[in-house]
Amino acid sequence: MERLDLLHVSTDIAYALLESGAEIYRVEESILRMFKAYGMDGGSVFAIPTFLLVSLPGDDGKPLTEMRRIGNHGSDLAKVGAYNDLCRRICKNAPDAESIRREMQTITTIPHHPFWLQVVAFGVVGLGFTLLFGGSGIDAAAALLCGMAIKLVLHQFDRFEANSFFTTICVSFVAGAAAFGLVQLGFGQNLDKIIIGVLMNLVPGVALTNFMRDIIAGDLIAGLTKLVEALLTATGIALGTGVALSLGRALMGVL
Amino acid sequence: MLQFIGACAAAFAACFAYSLVVNIRGLLLILAPLGAALCWLVYLACLPYFEELLCCFFATLAVSVYAEVMSRVNRAPATGFLLVGLLPLVPGGGIYYTMEYGINGDTINFLQTGLHTFGIAGSLALGVLVVSSIMRFYHVVRRQGKRGSC
């Protein structure tokens, strides 16, 4: 394969991996292994959750470099798995650029679960965790409703590409307000259990579990980026629900 | 015993739903939430004997080992198993109660709960750290055994 082709293809794969929420070391290792599989030395990759830089010396000795900025990154583990498989196959068979592109095309068509199922899933996460943390049956039902409500709100925010910190605050506000309202109406008793259950949907689990793996792998900046992300998300959750509860209590005091 | 099973079933159901949210597909849709059930089982089993932070640590160790084994068996990244399996331990409750004390102006409890929440997050990170360091070590040793493989 031409060096330029290899650079383009590998950058595209790295970008797709990062965007689907793969760990940093997986991205960097996959690309370096791909370079090795085509017998090209001297390539280099730098990735952090928001930025990607891939470089490879060209045939005439001049360096070829491609740089990408990464915006919002979600978690789509089906895609991470598929790209990971693809990298493995590339390392083994060293196919040409055309067939890699074709495979990448099929991976991008891997669907997400249908929207209604995701709404229900958000609800069931709330329901399950409310039960797990000691809520009663009726609390769990309230959490189911709140969970479904926050997925609907989250979907709207995603459509307008709002930044994630602001989204977290607003969505937690909705969760808190909905739970508070339901409890005031007599639907559910333990406000805290309901809110905690629902908020497990928003909690920064990805960042929290991944940041340590990145730091261990030596990707200090990537690890710190994720740590900050986790802290910001946690703060956002606390702010959003805090405002909802304070407002709710103040209103109830007036009424 | 029955309580144990009920709690683990709740953890399984919640994390099964979460697996749908992060688009896990196929057989992993069952295996990943099983890790969460295992996690909660270890946590509950440790709870009478150890401090809470230590229970979190042990549960994280169990899930990390489970994730590494499952990722070998299924040839899938360990991240998915970790992400779903550790979810029950992520201190959502801690964040909530910290906030609650904060808005009530109860500074002592606010600080105490906040630090405790940090502690839980720290013990999660530490558990992941231990297992993934050992795994990296193991990989390096094995790679030096047979060079040039993918």
Side-chain angles (χ1 to χ4, degrees):
Chain A
M1 192 178 345
E2 288 286 313
R3 280 173 181 252
L4 198 61
D5 276 345
L6 178 60
L7 180 70
H8 285 325
V9 169
S10 57
T11 311
D12 283 342
I13 291 181
Y15 182 76
L17 271 171
L18 277 175
E19 224 184 9
S20 326
E23 310 99 304
I24 300 301
Y25 79 89
R26 182 180 305 287
V27 175
E28 294 187 345
E29 265 181 28
S30 309
I31 300 312
L32 290 180
R33 281 183 185 170
M34 272 174 67
F35 287 169
K36 212 164 152 196
Y38 290 96
M40 301 195 183
D41 299 327
S44 201
V45 195
F46 175 76
I48 56 174
T50 52
F51 181 75
L52 170 69
L53 189 66
V54 184
S55 168
L56 190 67
D59 288 320
D60 50 1
K62 280 184 190 157
L64 304 167
T65 300
E66 198 165 335
M67 185 190 100
R68 294 277 173 89
R69 187 78 170 83
I70 293 142
N72 274 341
H73 48 96
S75 16
D76 188 332
L77 293 166
K79 279 187 187 148
V80 174
Y83 281 115
N84 195 43
D85 265 359
L86 176 63
C87 289
R88 215 185 284 268
R89 262 177 287 135
I90 293 176
C91 285
K92 211 178 260 169
N93 310 326
D96 57 275
E98 193 53 41
S99 57
I100 297 178
R101 289 246 177 256
R102 231 178 296 126
E103 292 223 31
M104 284 181 69
Q105 200 58 49
T106 45
I107 293 177
T108 45
T109 58
I110 291 180
H112 216 285
H113 291 291
F115 183 66
W116 65 266
L117 187 60
Q118 287 185 50
V119 174
V120 174
F122 262 73
V124 176
V125 171
L127 178 138
F129 278 113
T130 302
L131 284 179
L132 188 65
F133 297 142
S136 63
I138 195 146
D139 292 338
L144 179 77
L145 289 179
C146 296
M148 284 159 70
I150 64 169
K151 175 61 192 172
L152 294 175
V153 178
L154 207 56
H155 181 64
Q156 295 305 318
F157 275 97
D158 279 349
R159 266 182 47 197
F160 295 115
E161 294 173 5
N163 81 60
S164 64
F165 185 52
F166 181 65
T167 307
T168 311
I169 294 180
C170 293
V171 174
S172 332
F173 176 82
V174 172
F180 188 83
L182 284 175
V183 170
Q184 289 301 325
L185 291 174
F187 194 63
Q189 300 119 22
N190 306 308
L191 182 59
D192 52 345
K193 302 284 191 265
I194 301 175
I195 294 186
I196 294 168
V198 174
L199 288 183
M200 291 309 277
N201 278 310
L202 304 173
V203 135
V206 192
L208 204 62
T209 49
N210 271 349
F211 94 92
M212 216 44 182
R213 283 165 77 84
D214 283 334
I215 286 185
I216 286 310
D219 304 314
L220 298 179
I221 300 182
L224 288 181
T225 313
K226 283 187 187 158
L227 178 62
V228 170
E229 196 183 307
L231 289 178
L232 272 181
T233 311
T235 316
I237 291 175
L239 273 178
T241 40
V243 170
L245 290 188
S246 316
L247 263 183
R249 280 171 195 160
L251 275 179
M252 288 316 290
V254 171
L255 293 179
Chain B
M1 193 63 212
L2 209 61
Q3 276 173 319
F4 268 42
I5 295 172
C8 290
F12 182 87
C15 291
F16 178 79
Y18 189 72
S19 311
L20 291 175
V21 172
V22 292
N23 201 17
I24 292 178
R25 281 170 180 273
L27 184 61
L28 303 193
L29 209 47
I30 303 296
L31 291 176
L34 267 184
L38 170 77
C39 163
W40 201 250
L41 186 69
V42 172
Y43 176 78
L44 286 184
C46 289
L47 212 49
Y49 307 107
F50 299 102
E51 173 64 14
E52 193 192 348
L53 290 185
L54 217 54
C55 297
C56 280
F57 178 70
F58 289 141
T60 312
L61 280 187
V63 175
S64 306
V65 171
Y66 176 82
E68 295 293 349
V69 171
M70 281 298 148
S71 82
R72 289 284 161 289
V73 173
N74 293 296
R75 303 213 135 219
T79 330
F81 295 104
L82 276 180
L83 177 58
V84 174
L86 290 179
L87 189 67
L89 293 180
V90 175
I95 298 175
Y96 176 81
Y97 291 119
T98 308
M99 176 278 300
E100 175 91 54
Y101 288 126
I103 60 175
N104 288 339
D106 187 347
T107 315
I108 307 263
N109 276 323
F110 169 71
L111 286 178
Q112 196 187 356
T113 322
L115 286 179
H116 188 71
T117 307
F118 262 111
I120 291 177
S123 53
L124 282 190
L126 200 68
V128 174
L129 181 156
V130 169
V131 175
S132 72
S133 311
I134 294 175
M135 283 314 288
R136 281 191 86 76
F137 188 67
Y138 166 75
H139 275 307
V140 170
V141 169
R142 218 181 53 161
R143 208 178 300 154
Q144 281 173 349
K146 46 168 190 175
R147 279 191 178 281
S149 68
C150 239

